[in-house]
Amino acid sequence: MNVQEVYGYAPLMVGAGLALVGVWAVWWVVRYVRADSMMRASIRQAVRVRWTWKRFAQMAGLAVTDRMPTALAELSNTEGKPIKPRVLVPVLKVTPDRFGVVARANCLPRVSLEEFQKAAPYIADAWRCTRVSVLPDGPGHVLIRGVRLDPLITPTRRVPTGRAPARLAAWDLGVDEYGQSVEVSLSQVPGVTVAGLPGFGKTSLINGLVCDWAPSPAMQFVGFDGKVSAAYQGDYADLVKRMFAFVGDNLEDANALFQRLVNLRETRHTAVKAQLGVKDMWAVGPCAAWPLVVVIIDEAHTYFRDHRGSDPKTKKLAALAAENARLVEDLVKKGRSVGILTVLATQKSTGDAIPTFIRDVCPVGLSFAQKTAEAAVAALGEDIRNWDDANPINLQDPAYVGVASMSHQSRPGFARIRTPYVTDADSARIAAATAHLTRDPMELLRTHGGLTLSKTIDHPGDRPKAA
């Protein structure tokens, strides 16, 4: 191909390039117009970060001077003049979201993770962010998260979709202080504790869990609510339709239901090998015939309280509370491998509210606002004393309603999480739409695969009367 032919194709090449630029510009404008106000601000922020990055990186010490000439530079240097050294700046790729920007950069010699982390305060100022996090993003790369708005004081609402979750036993808690989604896997988890002052989000968090999981037939729920006397009262009145059993604050009814669940646990242990072909249900995962049983115990201290007194009524209550603690201990310590997950919620998860032989076996713990250091330590462990920013005693401001602290699963320390609010109307909608999926796990055991469990633990009429 001669030079004239190349020139002949030049207009076509230029036209194609301009067409691509036009398509990109139209896509960018449409994306910007369709975005809400928060997203538009983040898009503008991302553009500003890209345009100013090379200059800022050099000012912040995130650049390195390369004095070794490249081969091309040496070949093109026909006059023998000294070749100017090059200033290398990490390549930055920026993505906006509702709270700010996420940037990924490569490391250079003498510009590694440590240098990026030291420059985090300067990055926050330059990018106009309330806080910046710098984490490793694979060998030779870093992830920079900058939030323009503080996610912790930005209330969020979740509207349940009514669709079955893509991943069973995955709990979507909300977003952390950097606006990143926080998901906790509850597979192979025997128990969860949720603590915090009244009105700061415990029940809303559990409602959200039920609404997210309710559309799956592989999930079945049973409820205990220690602050009501009947199923039509309190925060779970709408969700009762999706529970195969529910009791209020009556200790006798609660004791009967706890015993029923322990019987279910024992029967499952007898049947798991025959019905599923494995010793641990999690080897195959929950299914409609063998669902994960989620035991929700709200205001747990009601059922374990140490009643003191010598009169017959008090002695009876004390005996029931002690028996309740023994039965729940059985569920938490032995229920994991047969698909029983126990969620205990209380104001203070100290030993008098949740016995330590139950609380200390639950590997996942969250705490909303607390008034005392003792309550914070009981909920999250002694290490929380070393993480003042995440300590739940600092979450008592009304702006932090719905914010919880928990041990960080991906790195040392604790994370603060903004949990989304689920309205009563949405809870009622999901419960009504999924009520037909409610099954008694014991009945499923009796009919699954045509297997008769006559030789296993069976207890006709074991369904307790709802309080």
Side-chain angles (χ1 to χ4, degrees), residues 154-177:
T154 306
T156 57
R157 175 188 168 190
R158 176 180 295 161
V159 180
T161 63
R163 295 189 297 268
R167 293 180 58 236
L168 294 179
W171 191 5
D172 183 1
L173 290 172
V175 296
D176 65 12
E177 56 205 284

Side-chain angles (χ1 to χ4, degrees), residues 441-458:
M442 184 63 78
E443 294 300 325
L444 291 173
L445 275 176
R446 293 187 178 111
T447 59
H448 175 54
L451 181 66
T452 301
L453 297 174
S454 58
K455 294 184 179 180
T456 65
I457 300 167
D458 206 350

Side-chain angles (χ1 to χ4, degrees), residues 35-42 44 148:
D36 58 23
S37 59
M38 288 179 61
M39 191 64 188
R40 288 180 185 177
S42 295
R44 295 193 298 270
R148 188 184 66 263

Side-chain angles (χ1 to χ4, degrees), residues 169 185-192 261-262 264-266 268-269 272 276 278-286 290-295 327-342 361-364:
S185 175
L186 295 184
S187 67
Q188 297 284 7
V189 172
V192 175
L261 293 171
V262 169
L264 171 66
R265 194 274 306 163
E266 293 173 338
R268 279 192 162 194
H269 265 115
V272 63
L276 299 182
V278 294
K279 294 181 179 179
D280 187 335
M281 182 276 291
W282 290 106
V284 295
W290 193 291
L292 175 65
V293 178
V294 183
V295 183
L327 294 171
V328 174
E329 179 188 17
D330 180 285
L331 291 175
V332 175
K333 289 185 175 180
K334 301 178 182 179
R336 175 193 58 79
S337 63
V338 292
I340 297 177
L341 168 67
T342 304
V361 183
C362 298
V364 177

Side-chain angles (χ1 to χ4, degrees), residues 171 192-203 205-206 297-301 343-350 353-354 359 364-372 374-381 392-393 395 400 402-406 419:
W171 191 5
V192 175
T193 59
V194 182
L197 296 175
F200 272 82
K202 298 189 301 296
T203 302
L205 176 68
I206 296 173
I297 309 176
D298 202 350
E299 301 296 332
H301 52 274
V343 180
L344 301 109
T346 187
Q347 296 175 22
K348 293 195 308 179
S349 56
T350 48
I354 301 178
R359 184 193 69 197
V364 177
L366 298 92
S367 179
F368 292 86
Q370 295 286 1
K371 276 194 171 181
T372 65
E374 176 197 15
V377 169
L380 300 173
I393 62 176
L395 299 177
Y400 292 119
V403 177
S405 294
M406 71 173 294
T419 62

Side-chain angles (χ1 to χ4, degrees), residues 45 99 124 127-132 146-151 177:
Q45 181 184 22
F99 292 103
W127 293 4
R128 302 174 191 174
C129 293
T130 58
R131 66 173 69 95
V132 164
V147 289
R148 188 184 66 263
L149 300 175
D150 188 349
E177 56 205 284

Side-chain angles (χ1 to χ4, degrees), residues 90-431:
V91 177
L92 192 75
K93 296 181 179 180
V94 187
T95 304
D97 64 18
R98 288 177 57 81
F99 292 103
V101 294
V102 178
R104 287 177 166 83
N106 64 300
C107 296
L108 297 172
R110 300 177 65 182
V111 181
S112 62
L113 173 66
E114 184 178 356
E115 282 67 39
F116 276 99
Q117 290 176 333
K118 288 180 180 178
Y122 311 134
I123 295 174
D125 291 338
W127 293 4
R128 302 174 191 174
C129 293
T130 58
R131 66 173 69 95
V132 164
S133 165
V134 181
L135 297 172
D137 190 37
H141 293 81
V142 297
L143 176 69
I144 307 171
R145 173 59 174 158
V147 289
R148 188 184 66 263
L149 300 175
D150 188 349
L152 297 181
I153 60 174
T154 306
T156 57
R157 175 188 168 190
R158 176 180 295 161
V159 180
T161 63
R163 295 189 297 268
R167 293 180 58 236
L168 294 179
W171 191 5
D172 183 1
L173 290 172
V175 296
D176 65 12
E177 56 205 284
Y178 294 99
Q180 300 295 290
S181 296
V182 179
E183 184 179 272
V184 176
S185 175
L186 295 184
S187 67
Q188 297 284 7
V189 172
V192 175
T193 59
V194 182
L197 296 175
F200 272 82
K202 298 189 301 296
T203 302
S204 178
L205 176 68
I206 296 173
N207 277 350
L209 172 67
V210 176
C211 288
D212 286 345
W213 287 5
S216 172
M219 303 290 180
Q220 298 298 337
F221 305 90
V222 55
F224 298 78
D225 189 354
K227 59 180 178 292
V228 301
S229 299
Y232 60 84
Q233 300 172 338
D235 299 304
Y236 300 98
D238 296 319
L239 293 176
V240 167
K241 297 176 183 177
R242 189 57 179 88
M243 297 179 179
F244 67 86
F246 178 90
V247 296
D249 59 1
N250 185 289
L251 292 193
E252 287 191 64
D253 286 347
N255 187 261
L257 186 50
F258 284 136
Q259 183 61 63
R260 176 182 169 189
L261 293 171
V262 169
N263 290 340
L264 171 66
R265 194 274 306 163
E266 293 173 338
T267 307
R268 279 192 162 194
H269 265 115
T270 303
V272 63
K273 182 67 175 178
Q275 293 194 358
L276 299 182
V278 294
K279 294 181 179 179
D280 187 335
M281 182 276 291
W282 290 106
V284 295
C287 61
W290 193 291
L292 175 65
V293 178
V294 183
V295 183
I296 298 169
I297 309 176
D298 202 350
E299 301 296 332
H301 52 274
T302 301
Y303 306 104
F304 309 132
R305 177 188 167 192
D306 183 15
H307 296 267
R308 298 185 179 182
S310 56
D311 60 287
K313 183 177 180 180
T314 302
K315 287 183 176 180
K316 181 180 179 180
L317 292 175
L320 286 170
E323 179 68 3
N324 288 342
R326 184 190 70 80
L327 294 171
V328 174
E329 179 188 17
D330 180 285
L331 291 175
V332 175
K333 289 185 175 180
K334 301 178 182 179
R336 175 193 58 79
S337 63
V338 292
I340 297 177
L341 168 67
T342 304
V343 180
L344 301 109
T346 187
Q347 296 175 22
K348 293 195 308 179
S349 56
T350 48
D352 57 336
I354 301 178
T356 55
F357 52 79
I358 296 174
R359 184 193 69 197
D360 294 345
V361 183
C362 298
V364 177
L366 298 92
S367 179
F368 292 86
Q370 295 286 1
K371 276 194 171 181
T372 65
E374 176 197 15
V377 169
L380 300 173
E382 282 287 342
D383 197 34
I384 190 61
R385 297 183 189 273
N386 302 320
W387 299 85
D388 187 62
D389 286 346
N391 197 312
I393 62 176
N394 297 320
L395 299 177
Q396 297 181 54
D397 191 289
Y400 292 119
V401 171
V403 177
S405 294
M406 71 173 294
S407 177
H408 211 299
Q409 293 192 319
S410 61
R411 60 180 186 265
F414 294 81
R416 292 177 293 176
I417 303 164
R418 160 60 65 178
T419 62
Y421 176 66
V422 178
T423 66
D424 292 340
D426 284 330
S427 296
R429 172 176 58 84
I430 294 297

